[in-house]
Each structure stands twice: as C-alpha cells, then as structure tokens.
Amino acid sequence: MSEINILEFEGISKAFFGMDALKDVSFSLPTGHIVGLVGENGAGKSTLMNILGGVIQPDKGRMLLKGQEYTPRGPGQASAAGIAFIHQELNLFMNLSICDNIFIDRFPKVGKLPFIDKRQARRKTAELLEMVEMDVSPNLLVERLSPGQRQLVEIAKALSIGAEIIIFDEPTTSLTAGETEKLFSIIARLKAAGKSIFYISHNLGNVLELADEIVVIRDGEVMDVDSKQQYTIGRMISKMVGRTIDQMYPPRESSHSDEVALKVDHLSQPGVVKDINFEVRKGEVLGLFGLMGSGRTELARMIFGLDDYGSGQVLVAGRVMEKRSPQKSIASGMAFVTEDRREEGLFMDDTILSNLSIVSIDDYRRRGPVSSLDRQKMSRCAGEVADSLHIKCGRIDKDAVQNLSGGNQQKVVIGKWILTEPSVFIIDEPTRGIDVGAKHEVYSLINELAGKGTGILFVSSELEELMGGCDRIIVMSNGEIQDVFDKAQFDGQTILHAAFKGHKRHSAAREVNSE
Amino acid sequence: MFVRYFLLSENFVLYLSILYFVVLSLFYPHMASTRNLTNVSSNMWPLFALVVGQMFVLIVGGIDLSQTSIMAFVSVIGAMLMTSQLDPVLFENNLLWGTLLAETGGPLGGSVLATPVGMLVMLGVGSLVGLINGVSVAKLKMPPFMVTLVSMMFFSGLAVFATRSENIMHLPASFVAIGRVQAGFISHSFFIALALAVGAYYTLRHTILGQWFYAVGKNMRTSVVSGVPAQKVVILAYVFSGFCAGAASILYSARLEAGRPTLGQDVLLDVIGAAVIGGISLYGGKGKVHWALFGVLFFALLANSLNMMNLSFFTVQIVKGSIILLAAMVDVARNRLVVREAV
C-alpha cells in the first residue's frame, strides 16, 4: 500500500438486475493528480462515482483510501472522508446566499449557544471565495450568479469541508468559454495545492488538456489507462466506442438550391436581439454560433414563434408569418428541436408513441362527422419513424421515454418533427448530453434531412460540430450578428474571435487572451 | 400473486367497492335492499357528473373549487326562471321583484318552454362561469387554486344575495320529474350522467382534443413547443367543468324540487375525494372516466354505509377524511409496486 495513490479501486463489480454495470474495475488515483474519466453515456462512469460517493455499494471488490479500506455507507460518510462532488446539475439553494449555501449543514455557532455566528461564517466564506477567484459578496443570493459562478461556489463548498478528492462531473456544459478557462485555472491550482481530482467529461479536448492520466470505460470495463502524453482524441474515441471513428462528422456535400426556405428580416427585440438578417436556403445547413448569453437560443425561439419580437419579419417560403404562435409556425412547415429536451421537448413519463405523434396528430384524424383518432395509422407512422431513426426500445406504445438513453430521447424529439415533414428545421443544441455514437447519428440525420431539401438552422455552442456539419456559419454576440463564414473560410480561431466581439471590452480582452 | 394482481389492477377501486359492499352487507343486511340501492344510485349520479367535470380540470393540472358554488348559483338562476309562484312575503325585498320576479313566478313561469329553456340556461350559465375561470387561469396566468377559490366565494355569495337566502319552490312538474327516484339504477339522472360520461370518454379516448388534455397536464412547455393550443385546451377544461356543474345542479335541484342558494355546500370534499380515490392525479396528466366512476361508487357506498351506522355528521367527516388519506397512501404504495414491476 503505497501512499502514492490516494485512492485505489480493486476489482469493483456491480450488477443491476442481472445486468453488469461494472465488471472488475481496477485503477488508481495518484495523490495530487488529475485523472480524466471518459466513456459513453451508460458506460458505468456514474455507477463508479456513486460507489465512491457511498450512494450505492459494490457487489465485489474494494476501495482503498490512503491505504485504508474505505466502505462508505452513504453520501455523508463520503464527504466526511474528504470526497466532494461537483455535479452536473448543481446542488445549491437558489434562494439562499453564498454563505448560507456553503455552511448550510454546519454553521459556526456563537460559543456553545444555538445561534449562528454570522460574522465568522461570512469571513470564512470570503476567504473561500478568494481561493476560487470570485470577487463577490458572501451575502449575494445564488440565483443572481451565472452558471459558472455557481460552479465556483460548489468548489468553494468542497474546499470548506477539507475535501482531498474532488470529482468534477461534466462541469463545463453550461459554462461560457471564458468561464471554462477560469475553471481550468482553478482546477490547476487545486492540483498544485495537493488535491486529487477526477474529471469526467464528454468534451475530450478538455480532458486531454487537463488530465495527467486518462481512464477509458466502456460497458462497465476499464478499456484503457494511460498517461496523457500517450493519448490522442482519436485513441480515446476508438476505445470508447470499440471501433475507430475516422471522422466525428459524416461527410457533407453542400448541394443546396437557391430557393429560400427561411428568411429573417430585420428582427429586433430590445435588450435581446438587434436587427437580425439572414436566409436559409432549401437543403442548406446554416450554423448559428454564439457563446452563452449571445442571444442565439432567444433568436431561435423568436423565429419559431415561442417568444415575441418587437419589429422585423420572419418569412417561410417567401410568405410573411403574422400573429406568431408555435401552431402557426408548424402549420407553415417549421420544426423546432429545443435545447431543453426534458422540459420542453418530451413528455418524460409518456410513451414513445405519444411523444412521436403529438405534433403530427392532426394527420391521424379520421374523416367524418365526429373526427376520431385513427390509432392504427398513428402507430404505423410513428413506428416507421422509430425504425428509420434506429430508436432502441422495446415497444413504442409501452416504453416511457424517460427510460431511454439521452441519444435515443433526442431521436424521439427529432422524430416527432420528421413526422410533420418540415421545410424548415430549427435545431438548438441537438447533441447536448448525448454520447459520441449518438452524436454521429444526429449529424447524419441532419445531413439526410438537408439532402431532402429541408432548410436547417443548426444552433450550437460547440463550434467544432458546426464546422463539421454546416455549409455556412453565422456568428452572434451580444444579440447581433457579427459575421458570416462560408465553408471555405471556416477557421476556429477567427470564428471565436467574432463570437467575442461586442462583449464588454474588458471581459472580452481577458477571454480572448485566455483562448 | 393474487394480492399483487388485485393491487395493480386498473379496476382496483371497483374491486375494493365490491369487497366493501359485500363485507358491510353481512353486518347491515339492509344495505343490499332494493330501496337502499336505489338510494345509493340516485346519490351517485349527480356526484358523478361533478367528478367527470372536475376530472378534466385535474387532467390539465388545475383544480376547480368553484364547482359547488356554480351549482348553487345555477340552481338559483334556473329556479328563478322556471318557478310559477313566489311568496311575496319572502321575495318582496328582492332586487328583481317587480321586474323579473312576481307573484306569478319567473319570466318562464307556467310556460311549456320553462323546463327545456331553463335547463339550457342552467348549462349555459355553468359553462360561462367555467369560461371565466378558464380565461383567468390560461390567459391571465393566475393560479387555478386562487381563481376558483375566489369564484367559489363570489358565486355562492351571489346566489345567497340574489335570493335573500330563500329557497325557490314551485318548479315545473316536468323539471321535478328528472329527479324523481325510480326503482333500480335506471332513472333520468342516470341517463344524464351517462350522456356526460360517454361524451367525456369519447373525447378523452378518441379525439385529438383528448390527447391535448393529457399533453397539457403532463408538460405545459413541451405542449406549447409541440403546437398544442394549450390556452384553449385549459379554457375548455374549465368550461366543461362548469357545464358538468350545471348538469349536476339540474339533477340536485330537480330532486330537491327547489332552487337552493346553498346547494351542495358540503359536496366539494366528496368531489375531490372521489376523484382522488378513483386515481385521478392532482398533479395532472392522469385520469379516466371509469376511474371517476369507481371513485364515485366507492364514495357513495362509503357515505351510505356511514349513514346506516347512525353516526353524527362530524364522525362521518372524520371517517371520510381518513379514507381519502388512506386512498392516497394506497396510491403511493401501488405506484411503488408498479415501478418495481417495470424494473
């Protein structure tokens, strides 16, 4: 038992209902190192971390913490042992202050009296905030912080309990590029201070940048462990999916016509977007790139008729859309895949069939005096789409979408719109939180739709996927279109610079420098 | 295995009702008599009409506390129209005395059209109040609890104010006939409730509107994005609830042979209770017509048996409350079983 490794997994196995979630997992976390943990959704990363956090117990195997056997029976014991989780979905009380959040379960008392020593709590909070480079008051309510700042509060909380092992689970999904850079510098500082870190992410580039060692998990087994220097993104992907993906993106041949599918004309809404003009042609994939807060999602919602706009016009196939509502947009041939799959895209506890048929439901109306629903036709149409999209499920009229993987859920969302045979497809962050294999399928699907002449507006905060899948990219920042790039001009550096334009000067300068 | 089947069956509440009835009949043989069953049935149908309406509002994720007040208000309006004789001593101080009301009754007093027009007006006014509720919830974005609580207070107040708290008697014979208790389950009120139930069943099961009701209750935001006319759907749910309250008001008023400003004041608990016992979710998105029927059946049997035991009003309330709580607990247990089954 060397003290070199603060934590060791030895032959951990766990099965749920006869299905192996983890099989004989062994590796270690060296003290003061960052270990990147990658794998597709459902590979077993979360199960392993839940075992570490004491949420579930392993069937076989053991964990050694500083050479001592470690058998947590609950999250409380894990945090007492110095293990802290920074979750994907943050566990903060929005209505409380930073200080209250950090000390919620162990406020300092005034002597032995049952009164909170507010002053001491505030002072300690200020110290912690300084460690994570946050220049705000400890009394500020968490709801007023940006997603990135909230993450930093979580880290401060981890530090306050004296955590020695910190687990980051997809920490950058809701962060801007600038916030991500800042997070990385703080992670580097934590490492320098001797903390040991697990970094879990689908963003392989980030893992490669941060980690000292990388562990690849597939189907509950450790496939590959090596130091960072030995890794390339290609090696990680091939280990994750078990096959080599030569390219993350399916080949795309732009062959769009000159006919305009969607035209946005001088669209403005005070404080949100300003004078937006662009056209999407039939069969074209137009990328819309912007950082968080640039107005990209807001713009997409306005075009679809979900949100109001002050002035300007939206034209579908040359016709001006008036009295906007999603219903009218759908009737005119628009489709909209929202960025919030769970809250706006799906009825989570409803069947795949109901989810697929809700938008196109008017097509299954029987002709006659009392318009009844033709359920046979409905299941036939939905079944065809489910098959063609390779949605992995048992029966579409029995399985609830909440039991599907993220990738399959997203396919259901896309499928329900395909059933309406749209001429304009607005897709907002379609690959958020889904694994590499499913991403590839989504990109192929977008290509296929464009091939059939659908005009596609592909909104994303991941520049790489836009460069891989689009014919043109427009870049938004601060509610305005900053620049337009044709495929030949695609260049990450230049597009990012355009995306930072229009940001407040001092922050823009900082963010561009760190880029 | 049997217990599991029993608990998981969709007809659980029906089985429970039958079991309850059989067991109680052993101790109180009178329960199974034709006369008592007729009584249970005539109590059931007006309540069923209310629960069917309430169900639509519950499915879209709301609640309609004003149903019983709508009943009272509509009862008064209908009776004022149809009555053929008013006692001047009681009604002389009424605001409408001399204009609409007189010693010879209301505007339609004595006319052959009194019953059909009166009933249509009752249904119409009920729907109208539902429309006000629905617009306040859907368009003005006010919380359903607040909106319907306020309209409950407002319309029951208005009903009492309009009549100076007096019952309005002397309704047309053809109207009163609707409420006449007949032997067995077959009565006018049975047919009216049946018509409502069939309409509701068909709407929920076989129409697009039906799918929209469930969709809106399950997830409002997804529904809006998916092009469901969510506001209209919510408004329709409240309108239908008001319409059903109007129908129930016809049944109750006909049975009482009077327009009563305090009609159904203590029925609200029964409506919500029967809906919940039937398995209609207070969180929205879940509910079926036969669930409502089973819930009402169980509630009617329960109330009937409690009456038979000669308990005081307060004891009955205590027992009813406990049963609703028990039903909620059983529901949780059943859901847990279902989840385990699914795994």
Side-chain angles (χ1 to χ4, degrees), chain A residues 327 346 350 372-373 375 416, chain B residues 202 205-206 218 222 226-227:
Chain A
Q327 285 139 270
L346 294 168
D350 217 339
S372 67
L373 201 57
R375 284 185 186 269
K416 76 174 185 180
Chain B
Y202 186 83
R205 178 87 187 108
H206 291 296
K218 276 185 178 134
T222 301
S226 303

Side-chain angles (χ1 to χ4, degrees), chain A residues 286-391:
Chain A
L286 175 66
L288 174 55
F289 178 69
L291 303 170
M292 187 151 285
S294 60
R296 59 184 149 86
T297 291
E298 291 79 356
L299 175 63
R301 296 177 68 89
M302 282 177 205
I303 296 173
F304 187 62
L306 271 169
D307 294 345
D308 295 335
Y309 44 83
S311 60
Q313 287 178 329
V314 174
L315 295 89
V316 176
R319 295 240 311 272
V320 180
M321 303 290 297
E322 286 178 65
K323 285 204 179 159
R324 303 304 312 274
S325 74
Q327 285 139 270
K328 291 219 172 68
S329 302
I330 293 166
S332 75
M334 272 201 223
F336 181 63
V337 173
T338 104
E339 61 164 352
D340 193 344
R341 190 163 63 230
R342 302 179 135 262
E343 291 300 322
E344 286 194 338
L346 294 168
F347 304 100
M348 292 304 285
D349 57 356
D350 217 339
T351 61
I352 298 167
L353 176 62
S354 307
N355 273 287
L356 280 173
S357 56
I358 186 74
V359 192
S360 50
I361 199 155
D362 231 17
D363 299 343
Y364 319 121
R365 194 193 288 272
R366 269 203 203 92
R367 299 283 158 238
V370 268
S371 58
S372 67
L373 201 57
D374 187 347
R375 284 185 186 269
Q376 270 178 336
K377 186 180 175 193
M378 189 166 104
S379 357
R380 199 180 60 239
C381 294
E384 279 164 15
V385 163
D387 285 344
S388 73
L389 297 182
H390 309 292
I391 294 172

Side-chain angles (χ1 to χ4, degrees), chain A residues 172-189:
Chain A
T172 57
T173 33
S174 49
L175 302 193
T176 65
E179 286 173 331
T180 302
E181 283 303 325
K182 185 167 176 189
L183 176 70
F184 286 2
S185 79
I186 285 166
I187 291 178
R189 272 220 283 166

Side-chain angles (χ1 to χ4, degrees), chain B residues 119-139:
Chain B
M119 282 169 65
L120 282 179
V121 168
M122 288 172 83
L123 293 173
V125 171
S127 308
L128 196 69
V129 178
L131 182 70
I132 297 171
N133 284 337
V135 169
S136 310
V137 171
K139 297 264 182 202

Side-chain angles (χ1 to χ4, degrees), chain A residues 252-263 279-286 315-319 332-333 421-425 446-457 471-472:
Chain A
R252 161 133 194 91
E253 285 161 29
S254 332
S255 59
H256 55 81
S257 71
D258 290 334
E259 268 184 89
V260 175
L262 171 75
K263 183 177 162 75
E279 290 177 352
V280 185
R281 279 159 283 182
K282 285 189 175 172
E284 184 186 30
V285 183
L286 175 66
L315 295 89
V316 176
R319 295 240 311 272
S332 75
E421 295 170 3
S423 61
V424 175
F425 217 130
I446 292 174
N447 270 353
E448 211 176 291
L449 282 166
K452 287 179 191 156
T454 312
I456 293 173
L457 181 63
D471 301 325
R472 275 190 307 152

Side-chain angles (χ1 to χ4, degrees), chain B residues 23-341:
Chain B
V23 171
L24 265 273
S25 307
L26 294 178
F27 297 97
Y28 299 90
H30 177 65
M31 250 191 102
S33 71
T34 319
R35 207 174 129 218
N36 187 54
L37 286 179
T38 311
N39 188 22
V40 171
S41 128
S42 67
N43 284 332
M44 250 178 86
W45 304 127
L47 182 62
F48 183 47
L50 284 173
V51 176
V52 166
Q54 183 73 239
M55 177 177 71
F56 279 82
V57 175
L58 292 177
I59 286 177
V60 299
I63 191 163
D64 190 351
L65 302 175
S66 68
Q67 264 193 325
T68 51
S69 298
I70 296 178
M71 275 206 320
F73 180 61
V74 162
S75 171
V76 164
I77 298 268
M80 279 182 170
L81 276 176
M82 293 187 287
T83 182
S84 56
Q85 190 190 329
L86 288 168
D87 186 346
V89 177
L90 298 175
F91 288 93
E92 239 171 7
N93 292 328
N94 197 297
L95 283 176
L96 298 169
W97 190 258
T99 51
L100 287 174
L101 304 178
E103 237 167 301
T104 53
L108 294 171
S111 157
V112 271
L113 288 177
T115 302
V117 173
M119 282 169 65
L120 282 179
V121 168
M122 288 172 83
L123 293 173
V125 171
S127 308
L128 196 69
V129 178
L131 182 70
I132 297 171
N133 284 337
V135 169
S136 310
V137 171
K139 297 264 182 202
L140 307 179
K141 312 275 176 219
M142 295 182 343
F145 193 93
M146 269 302 296
V147 168
T148 57
L149 185 72
V150 167
S151 62
M152 171 172 101
M153 290 157 66
F154 182 84
F155 287 102
S156 68
L158 196 58
V160 173
F161 174 75
T163 57
R164 302 282 154 128
S165 211
E166 295 295 340
N167 288 351
I168 300 171
M169 318 290 279
H170 303 290
L171 302 182
S174 53
F175 182 79
V176 172
I178 294 169
R180 192 159 304 139
V181 177
Q182 279 141 311
F185 278 80
I186 312 302
S187 60
H188 281 106
S189 54
F190 165 74
F191 284 115
I192 290 175
L194 184 73
L196 283 178
V198 169
Y201 175 81
Y202 186 83
T203 306
L204 287 179
R205 178 87 187 108
H206 291 296
T207 69
I208 291 167
L209 180 64
Q211 309 307 301
W212 284 344
F213 277 122
Y214 290 116
V216 165
K218 276 185 178 134
N219 188 333
M220 182 61 115
R221 288 172 64 192
T222 301
S223 301
V224 170
V225 172
S226 303
V228 175
Q231 292 189 342
K232 278 184 205 153
V233 170
V234 169
I235 292 173
L236 270 178
Y238 284 91
V239 169
F240 193 67
S241 176
F243 180 85
C244 287
S249 178
I250 293 175
L251 303 184
Y252 278 120
S253 308
R255 218 172 78 195
L256 291 169
E257 303 185 14
R260 182 192 274 188
T262 56
L263 183 66
Q265 264 186 339
D266 43 333
V267 184
L268 185 61
L269 175 76
D270 296 15
V271 175
I272 310 272
V276 171
I277 287 176
I280 298 161
S281 172
L282 290 174
Y283 298 105
K286 260 198 323 200
K288 290 181 178 168
V289 174
H290 60 277
W291 295 2
L293 179 64
F294 299 158
V296 169
L297 177 66
F298 186 80
F299 224 82
L301 284 174
L302 181 74
N304 180 257
S305 61
L306 293 176
N307 271 344
M308 212 153 287
M309 292 171 202
N310 249 335
L311 301 172
S312 73
F313 175 77
F314 309 102
T315 325
V316 169
Q317 292 294 88
I318 290 171
V319 175
K320 270 191 192 172
S322 320
I323 297 279
I324 295 176
L325 190 67
L326 205 67
M329 273 160 63
V330 170
D331 195 44
V332 171
R334 285 176 69 201
N335 280 334
R336 211 175 289 155
L337 262 182
V338 172
V339 168
R340 215 178 291 161
E341 204 87 325

